[in-house]
Amino acid sequence: MRTLTRRILLPGLTTLTLAATACSTTAHTGAAGTAAAPSAAAQAGDGAQRLEVDAAPQGTAAPTALARTRTEGGRPEKASLKVASYDKASGRAVISKAAPASQAPSASPTSPSPGRSPGRSAAPDAPVAVGDVIASAPAPGAPDGLLAKVTEVVGKTDRGTEVKTASTTLASVLKDDTADGKVPVDPATVRVEPLMKGVAVSWAKTGGVRSGPHGAQLPLGNLRLDVNAAVDTAEGAPASAGASVSGFVQLAPQVEFSYDGGPGAAPGGAFLGMSGDWSSQWELKGRAAASTGAPRRIPFATLHSDPVIQVGPVPVVVNLDLTCYVQVEADGRVTLDVRQDVKGDFRVGGGYAAGRGWSPVSASAVRSTPVKAEVSAAGKVKAAVGAEASVGLYGAVGVTADFAPYLQGEADATATASGDGKAAVAGAWAVHGGFDLSGQLQLGLSLFGTPAFERRIPLGSLHREWPLARGHAAS
């Protein structure tokens, strides 16, 4: 299967997103069942804030975002500091003064929002102290961002103040504040690494910036992967039966985040997940080589992004990872030619509620249209283009999902069908589409400050299948 390992299809990205899509049908209603946070922070009667959720400033001119919660019950505030360096093994960090904010574009107005105390928007030059909690966007030595509590101030260096830190939680930063929002993932920040030939990447972002062979055709905020790759062909099959996969996957992912602070040490509610719209058109054709033993899974592309969402003054780093793969199970006898157009939306994540703990949240609406289905000879084949996806915070994985949409054909003769209802059959035959999804909530979700899991929480296996075309010969 070397050929397959080198060049194979990409519609699996759809899978990825799909992975993020179909699971159970639990709906996310926010940390406390409330609507998304308004654009301006609102002050609750007890002093708690409702924080806006937005994308952090981007670009080389933007200083590394850092928020600090001061000792003695202080509230989160934007700090004129940055993490100059961090060593994960020792937990030591150097905190220095950041470049003036005027040198970088601002994601929000500089004046305080209604109801927000001026001290929340800027914490000047007070030195870092024991007990301070710092939340930083990706920085030197901390590519996934940093969320830590200062346990000791070691002293001054030529780069800033060296401190010792220990891990902490978002509850120690956000306190009793609340936040709920969705932030689109900038497709330009998604790093795609093709693992074989035949993969092309296109995207379009706000500001009219477009990239790739299909960038001009894409709606803003969309990422598209095109694939045209060969699959191992059955031994002895004629040249006309060469197996291949081709098509595209297009998606517009977004991060969903909510936090509902409570009076106790743990929040009253929380949610982390990914959602969005996606579409794909792909074709599987030819006579694939026979499988031996278990179906073989072969990765063909990896995708990674670390979007930073700004939760009030606090930069929250979300880690998104996807590994797209193809999986083929065949007997080497049947020749398949199937094209389908799939559209839908998805959501996958984990939700927490005080008293109930963590529970999986996933939903998907899928519409599949067969454009053409043809099966010849006697035999069967099943091909999946899927993805393993993970969503986490500050480098700690919180949700994993494995989604594998597939096409399956089997026949004892020759049959053809098309979307206009015309068909020609000789013998029994059937072509099905479907998907398999599994995954679990990981211990990393306890980073919100919720009680730690005793074990990983499975999303539960989900299997759905629908007929694309079928028929039976007249006697």
Side-chain angles (χ1 to χ4, degrees):
M1 285 251 196
R2 267 184 108 97
T3 304
L4 182 57
T5 305
R6 284 197 191 153
R7 355 173 232 158
I8 224 151
L9 171 128
L10 207 181
L13 174 54
T14 193
T15 185
L16 126 54
T17 319
L18 239 157
T21 155
C23 221
S24 72
T25 53
T26 307
H28 163 48
T29 56
T34 59
S39 58
Q43 177 126 18
D46 59 359
Q49 300 273 342
R50 179 174 295 172
L51 305 175
E52 64 178 296
V53 177
D54 205 347
Q58 297 182 15
T60 56
T64 301
L66 187 145
R68 172 171 55 172
T69 299
R70 305 300 304 277
T71 56
E72 300 177 358
R75 309 198 63 81
E77 56 193 7
K78 184 177 180 180
S80 56
L81 302 169
K82 69 176 182 179
V83 176
S85 66
Y86 175 70
D87 180 67
K88 184 176 182 179
S90 64
R92 293 193 175 214
V94 174
I95 311 298
S96 64
K97 183 176 176 60
S102 60
Q103 295 181 7
S106 175
S108 58
T110 54
S111 57
S113 300
R116 177 184 291 171
S117 60
R120 299 286 304 272
S121 60
D125 302 334
V128 65
V130 172
D132 285 359
V133 177
I134 55 177
S136 172
D144 298 316
L146 180 63
L147 179 64
K149 183 175 183 178
V150 176
T151 59
E152 179 183 340
V153 177
V154 178
K156 296 287 186 180
T157 72
D158 56 354
R159 294 180 299 154
T161 302
E162 183 176 0
V163 298
K164 291 183 179 180
T165 66
S167 59
T168 189
T169 66
L170 277 169
S172 66
V173 180
L174 298 177
K175 304 287 187 178
D176 54 357
D177 291 339
T178 62
D180 190 351
K182 302 177 182 179
V183 177
V185 176
D186 182 351
T189 66
V190 179
R191 300 190 294 277
V192 180
E193 180 183 355
L195 303 180
M196 57 189 64
K197 296 179 180 179
V199 178
V201 182
S202 306
W203 51 261
K205 60 179 292 184
T206 53
V209 182
R210 300 173 182 272
S211 177
H214 299 280
Q217 309 168 19
L218 296 179
L220 297 181
N222 275 247
L223 174 71
R224 168 170 164 162
L225 295 95
D226 286 77
V227 173
N228 186 356
V231 179
D232 280 356
T233 302
E235 184 176 354
S240 60
S244 65
V245 141
S246 61
F248 73 84
V249 175
Q250 181 177 311
L251 64 153
Q254 58 186 1
V255 172
E256 294 194 27
F257 177 94
S258 70
Y259 175 90
D260 182 13
F271 179 84
L272 176 67
M274 181 171 63
S275 62
D277 297 326
W278 59 267
S279 62
S280 65
Q281 291 180 358
W282 57 292
E283 178 178 18
L284 172 66
K285 63 189 303 181
R287 190 179 305 176
S291 306
T292 56
R296 187 178 180 190
R297 177 176 295 192
I298 302 171
F300 61 88
T302 60
L303 300 90
H304 179 81
S305 182
D306 296 304
V308 180
I309 60 176
Q310 200 71 35
V311 181
V314 181
V316 176
V317 184
V318 182
N319 314 115
L320 306 178
D321 284 282
L322 305 164
T323 299
C324 301
Y325 63 84
V326 64
Q327 184 169 293
V328 177
E329 184 176 7
D331 60 11
R333 296 181 296 158
V334 63
T335 301
L336 180 70
D337 187 349
V338 177
R339 293 195 299 270
Q340 68 170 341
D341 186 347
V342 183
K343 295 183 179 180
D345 55 28
F346 65 90
R347 167 188 273 150
V348 65
Y352 174 82
R356 293 188 306 176
W358 283 97
S359 59
V361 176
S362 59
S364 175
V366 179
R367 299 173 296 281
S368 175
T369 304
V371 178
K372 177 183 179 182
E374 179 176 322
V375 182
S376 61
K380 62 182 180 180
V381 63
K382 180 179 180 180
V385 179
E388 299 172 357
S390 69
V391 185
L393 294 171
Y394 299 104
V397 176
V399 182
T400 62
D402 188 339
F403 184 82
Y406 63 81
L407 291 172
Q408 178 172 287
E410 51 189 332
D412 59 14
T414 300
T416 62
S418 61
D420 59 8
K422 297 179 181 179
V425 298
W429 62 278
V431 177
H432 292 83
F435 63 79
D436 295 304
L437 183 140
S438 60
Q440 55 190 359
L441 304 186
Q442 304 276 351
L443 301 178
L445 281 173
S446 61
L447 198 64
F448 276 96
T450 61
F453 299 174
E454 293 182 3
R455 57 182 177 80
R456 292 183 175 90
I457 302 174
L459 295 178
S461 298
L462 181 65
H463 171 80
R464 293 179 184 169
E465 187 171 278
W466 53 85
L468 291 176
R470 67 173 63 201
H472 196 283
S475 56

